[in-house]
């Protein structure tokens, strides 16, 4: 069942989302060669605690950390670790903030020092693909319109779209219906309605779209070792169009 949200509930999710956006703003300043993703994870724990919020991912189906930190060929659900980031890496930091029982979910990929031209293009195209998907999140459109916009642009730029991980409804729990694939056919799928709150979170790979999961049971990485990036926002579908809840703009 899809749980539609009132404007009042959307406002509460926006508060969680704005705190999350501030957290990403701080992370952007911390990311540099030598810093560890374990330090970033600790920063997030402290930042959220000092603002009366809870990192929803920690303990979710046994996930052990506040954030996911996915480096280079890791697609998602990377474990924060004590190995320092190095010049040329890309890293995706993903988290879900719970503020007063309402959730927001956002991931951002960051460049560590100087990165290759290919890595920079991957970041740029992945971020643009997110915003092309968001544009389609209007009442009356269908779920396939979102995936279609993302996939045609991403593949046109020479990258592939991860299939195994999708966006989702979100509210008082992290994963609600419906699922939002980042690939698909225009005009197909469920119709989007005012009051739906969803994540759009395209993961793009330089090479093959397929993934494999590490022995830790969580971390997904590209089968061919190619780079992967991800940008994610939480979006409310309103009569005035898509409202991005995880931004300060
Ligand atoms: N934030 C992720 C998402 O976009 C969920 C991470 S799974 C977790 O759906 F268990 F690690 F939290
Ligand atoms: Co997320």
């Amino acid at each position: 069942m899809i749980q539609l949200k009132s404007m009042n509930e959307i406002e509460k999710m926006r508060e969680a989302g704005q705190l999350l956006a501030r957290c990403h703003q701080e992370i952007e300043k911390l990311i540099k060669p030598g810093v560890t993703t374990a330090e970033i994870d600790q920063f997030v724990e402290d930042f959220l605690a000092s603002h009366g919020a809870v990192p929803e991912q920690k303990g979710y189906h046994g996930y052990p950390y506040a954030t996911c930190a996915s480096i280079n060929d890791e697609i998602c659900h990377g474990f924060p670790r004590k190995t320092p980031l190095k010049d040329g890496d890309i890293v995706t930091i993903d988290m879900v903030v719970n503020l007063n029982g309402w959730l927001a979910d956002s991931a951002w990929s960051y460049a560590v020092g100087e990165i290759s031209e290919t890595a920079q293009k991957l970041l740029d195209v992945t971020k643009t693909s997110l915003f092309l998907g968001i544009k389609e999140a209007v009442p009356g459109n269908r779920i396939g319109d979102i995936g279609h916009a993302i996939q045609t642009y991403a593949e046109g730029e020479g990258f592939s779209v991860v299939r195994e991980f999708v966006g989702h409804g979100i509210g008082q729990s992290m994963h609600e219906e419906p699922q939002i694939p980042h690939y698909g056919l225009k005009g197909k799928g469920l119709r989007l309605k005012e009051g739906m709150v969803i994540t759009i979170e395209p993961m793009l790979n330089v090479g093959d779209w397929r993934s494999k999961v590490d022995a830790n049971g969580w971390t997904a990485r590209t089968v061919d070792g190619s780079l992967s990036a991800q940008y994610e926002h939480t979006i409310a579908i309103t009569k005035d169009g898509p409202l991005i809840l995880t931004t300060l703009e």
Side-chain angles (χ1 to χ4, degrees):
M1 199 193 66
I2 295 176
Q3 288 170 301
L4 300 179
K5 277 88 185 171
S6 67
M7 268 326 272
N8 184 39
E9 292 169 334
I10 288 170
E11 195 45 51
K12 288 181 190 159
M13 295 183 75
R14 205 223 286 249
E15 277 168 31
Q18 289 187 334
L19 186 61
L20 205 172
R22 283 172 58 198
C23 202
H24 271 304
Q25 249 181 5
E26 296 304 316
I27 291 169
E28 182 163 28
K29 296 181 211 157
L30 293 176
I31 300 268
K32 47 175 75 75
V35 80
T36 73
T37 48
E39 287 162 349
I40 290 165
D41 191 71
Q42 189 60 52
F43 165 79
V44 168
E45 285 233 5
D46 297 344
F47 184 88
L48 295 184
S50 69
H51 291 87
V54 176
E56 186 75 6
Q57 291 188 160
K58 196 168 180 172
Y60 180 84
H61 292 280
Y63 185 76
Y65 301 98
T67 62
C68 298
S70 308
I71 302 168
N72 296 334
D73 64 323
E74 293 169 354
I75 295 170
C76 61
H77 306 163
F79 282 9
R81 69 199 77 167
K82 292 194 174 118
T83 322
L85 292 169
K86 24 178 228 319
D87 193 52
D89 284 343
I90 59 172
V91 57
T92 302
I93 308 291
D94 185 11
M95 77 190 84
V96 179
V97 168
N98 179 333
L99 183 66
N100 303 319
W102 290 92
L103 309 184
D105 188 358
S106 176
W108 218 246
S109 289
Y110 297 95
V112 183
E114 284 284 312
I115 61 172
S116 70
E117 232 172 86
T118 304
Q120 189 59 56
K121 184 179 173 193
L122 177 68
L123 297 188
D124 294 344
V125 169
T126 308
K127 191 194 284 185
T128 300
S129 80
L130 166 62
F131 287 97
L132 291 173
I134 290 173
K135 246 198 218 166
E136 300 296 323
V138 296
N141 265 7
R142 290 178 184 273
I143 284 179
D145 295 329
I146 296 174
H148 181 258
I150 292 169
Q151 184 181 17
T152 48
Y153 172 68
E155 291 180 352
E157 294 295 326
F159 297 129
S160 69
V161 177
V162 170
R163 309 283 202 274
E164 293 94 331
F165 302 94
V166 296
H168 49 88
I170 180 167
Q172 289 184 291
S173 43
M174 192 192 300
H175 293 134
E176 298 183 355
E177 287 179 49
Q179 295 200 340
I180 313 287
H182 306 105
Y183 55 90
L185 300 174
K186 215 176 164 54
K188 296 284 180 196
L190 196 94
R191 210 179 272 287
L192 300 171
K193 267 174 83 168
E194 193 183 329
M196 287 170 69
V197 181
I198 58 171
T199 72
I200 302 178
E201 47 180 305
M203 285 144 272
L204 267 49
N205 300 345
V206 167
D208 198 301
W209 61 265
R210 289 174 186 84
S211 63
K212 57 184 179 195
V213 176
D214 283 3
N216 68 17
W218 279 99
T219 309
R221 63 180 72 239
T222 58
V223 280
D224 57 6
S226 70
L227 294 176
S228 186
Q230 179 183 27
Y231 290 85
E232 171 184 25
H233 272 311
T234 298
I235 315 293
I237 296 168
T238 78
K239 61 176 181 338
D240 303 320
L243 177 64
I244 303 176
L245 303 181
T246 38
T247 185
L248 294 167
E249 280 152 31

